[in-house]
Amino acid sequence: MLKDNELAGDVVQDIFTSFWVCKSEINTAIPLYSYLYASVRYRIINMMNREKLKSIM
């Protein structure tokens, strides 16, 4: 989705960091794969939306 390996690596690292910080608050009934997939997906969508907004202003 990002077409930039370095940026994608940064997103994954941010997700794992936030996962580690909030590990006690995460619902353990949800499979880890689903949680990580959704987290990365939404983080990338938010990044893209912020970039669009910056380009408009």
Side-chain angles (χ1 to χ4, degrees):
M1 289 175 78
L2 293 175
K3 298 178 182 148
D4 181 354
N5 287 338
E6 189 172 322
L7 187 56
D10 290 343
V11 169
V12 171
Q13 185 173 359
D14 287 344
I15 294 297
F16 276 107
T17 302
S18 65
F19 176 76
W20 184 256
V21 170
C22 301
K23 65 185 175 199
S24 63
E25 300 170 14
I26 295 173
N27 184 355
T28 56
I30 300 170
L32 182 60
Y33 173 82
S34 299
Y35 173 81
L36 294 175
Y37 178 83
S39 298
V40 170
R41 183 173 182 262
Y42 289 123
R43 181 79 51 108
I44 291 171
I45 290 170
N46 285 339
M47 287 175 65
M48 292 173 142
N49 286 338
R50 274 188 242 124
E51 288 301 317
K52 275 188 204 176
L53 188 59
K54 285 180 185 178
S55 68
I56 293 172
M57 295 181 151

